[in-house]
Amino acid sequence: MMRLGDKCYCRDKISSPITKYTELEPALCQELRKIVEALVVPGKGLLACDESPSSMEKRLDEIGVENTENNRRDYRQMLFSADKSQFSKYISGVILHHETVYQKTCDGVELIELLRQRDVVPGIKVDKGLVPLFGAKSEKTTEGLDSLQERCIQYKRDGCHFTKWRCTFAISDSTPSQLAMVTNAHVLARYASICQSARMVPIIEPEILNDGEHGINRALEVHEEVLSILFRTLQEHHVYLEGMILKVAMVLSGIKNSANCTPQLIAEHTLTALQRTVPPAVPVIAFLSGGQSDSDSVVNLNAICAYEGTKPWPLTFCYGRALQLAAMQAWKGNEENVPEAQAIFLERAKLCSEAASGQVEPENGICTRKKNNNSR
């Protein structure tokens, strides 16, 4: 039976000479859609705050702060306790690391509860990191599927409602290989299917890296191929497209390429790749900053969202370093610097929010709000 009235295309049972399977129940589809609706709000984006303790070490070293659990807690408490009205105005969800889910503030409030008090949906990174892909030359896949079902069930009980899993693809003359694209597509699809069965919305992140010397046209080719294989595989795994979020990189030339690509050219190539590969059923596309500078991450997002092309999905941001870096540098582990660091963080969030509506413009390399801006 196909249910059209509530926009749920979950068949009770589908049979074929090859296979029989049961898709997600309508009630589960509805729950996934409600989570997506809470995350996909005009003017809001996602904060990726899921750095592992080892990843945090380099960042804390840069500001002269020891990489301890308490310092990591204090840093994230600084972010999450920023002005409630402003935080919830620009951020709809936060991706957490396992450690953060079970940490409490200095006053004994769970950090995950601090987010709920701000009407922000907590999410969790569930992959266990990149590992070499055997049989491929210097390419990687992502591990963590073995225990994923049990972990998702527990995270759901503990208050998380969406997940994130990242696979990466490097561009060169010989990569990404067919093996890497197909393997990682199946990993992402299996991850998404498991998360949806546990009543959690999966953020699917096939990150195409912009390291190297490739040009933007080569990047476009790779984006199209990777996303085409991914969505074909998602369909094969019966992933409910309306109950997922796609997180992608912008189409960029390699950082070692001397060509200067304008934001308009980046917007054109990025939307071309998405239009050719991503079904309209996908409820939102969130961009990652992908190693861009703070300014570029805003300027290019703004150009994509302002571009006059077909965009059947809402577009927004899911930024980590691009939202946090300036605030972390202002914080420096000093409690006296918390108000200043929070103000910087909120200003970055506001700027990214306006870029997601195409409402900022660069002036002399600095992002400024458009005059006569009546949005939000």
Side-chain angles (χ1 to χ4, degrees), residues 52-123:
S52 67
S54 59
S55 297
M56 284 291 289
E57 184 167 4
K58 181 179 179 181
R59 299 188 183 187
L60 291 175
D61 282 348
E62 291 174 353
I63 59 172
V65 176
E66 186 180 359
N67 184 29
T68 65
E69 182 177 351
N70 282 342
N71 284 338
R72 293 192 295 270
R73 184 276 314 276
D74 290 346
Y75 169 65
R76 281 157 176 159
Q77 178 180 332
M78 179 273 292
L79 291 178
F80 301 164
S81 60
D83 182 79
K84 179 179 178 179
S85 62
Q86 295 294 303
F87 194 105
S88 60
K89 185 176 181 180
Y90 307 122
I91 304 295
S92 61
V94 176
I95 308 171
L96 304 171
H97 185 269
H98 172 89
E99 176 183 76
T100 313
V101 173
Y102 300 103
Q103 285 180 323
K104 295 182 179 180
T105 69
C106 299
D107 299 327
V109 179
E110 294 179 349
L111 290 181
I112 202 169
E113 175 61 27
L114 197 61
L115 293 175
R116 283 195 291 258
Q117 292 173 2
R118 284 156 171 71
D119 297 320
V120 172
V121 183

Side-chain angles (χ1 to χ4, degrees), residues 163-301:
T163 62
K164 191 205 80 169
W165 185 292
R166 171 179 177 255
C167 288
T168 63
F169 304 85
I171 300 179
S172 71
D173 292 340
S174 58
T175 60
S177 65
Q178 191 73 12
L179 173 62
M181 290 187 288
V182 171
T183 298
N184 283 321
H186 280 278
V187 168
L188 287 166
R190 185 65 187 136
Y191 143 75
S193 178
I194 291 171
C195 290
Q196 289 186 337
S197 73
R199 299 165 40 232
M200 301 182 81
V201 168
I203 293 181
I204 299 173
E205 182 179 349
E207 181 179 1
I208 297 170
L209 306 172
N210 69 325
D211 301 332
E213 302 177 354
H214 60 271
I216 195 168
N217 289 330
R218 170 63 177 151
L220 175 61
E221 293 174 359
V222 171
H223 276 257
E224 289 185 22
E225 190 166 11
V226 167
L227 291 173
S228 294
I229 293 173
L230 172 63
F231 278 98
R232 182 167 66 247
T233 308
L234 292 177
Q235 293 284 13
E236 292 170 353
H237 283 253
H238 317 308
V239 172
Y240 180 51
L241 297 185
E242 291 85 347
M244 61 159 279
I245 292 172
L246 178 65
K247 180 180 179 182
V248 294
M250 301 172 191
V251 177
L252 304 167
S253 59
I255 56 176
K256 297 179 182 178
N257 189 303
S258 60
N260 182 24
C261 295
T262 65
Q264 290 71 30
L265 187 63
I266 291 169
E268 179 184 356
H269 282 69
T270 299
L271 288 172
T272 295
L274 298 175
Q275 291 162 356
R276 291 174 174 174
T277 58
V278 182
V282 173
V284 64
I285 296 175
F287 291 102
L288 56 94
S289 55
Q292 302 176 76
S293 68
D294 286 0
S295 178
D296 286 347
S297 67
V298 171
V299 170
N300 292 332
L301 174 66

Side-chain angles (χ1 to χ4, degrees), residues 8-32:
C8 182
Y9 298 88
C10 299
R11 299 169 179 81
D12 295 330
K13 192 171 184 180
I14 295 181
S15 299
S16 77
I18 300 175
T19 184
K20 294 182 179 181
Y21 63 91
T22 302
E23 287 198 2
L24 301 180
E25 294 295 328
L28 179 50
C29 292
Q30 184 178 18
E31 181 174 356
L32 293 174

Side-chain angles (χ1 to χ4, degrees), residues 74 78 327-344:
D74 290 346
M78 179 273 292
M328 178 178 277
Q329 291 174 338
W331 174 64
K332 295 180 180 178
N334 189 335
E335 187 176 352
E336 294 180 355
N337 297 335
V338 167
E340 178 187 358
Q342 289 177 334
I344 291 172

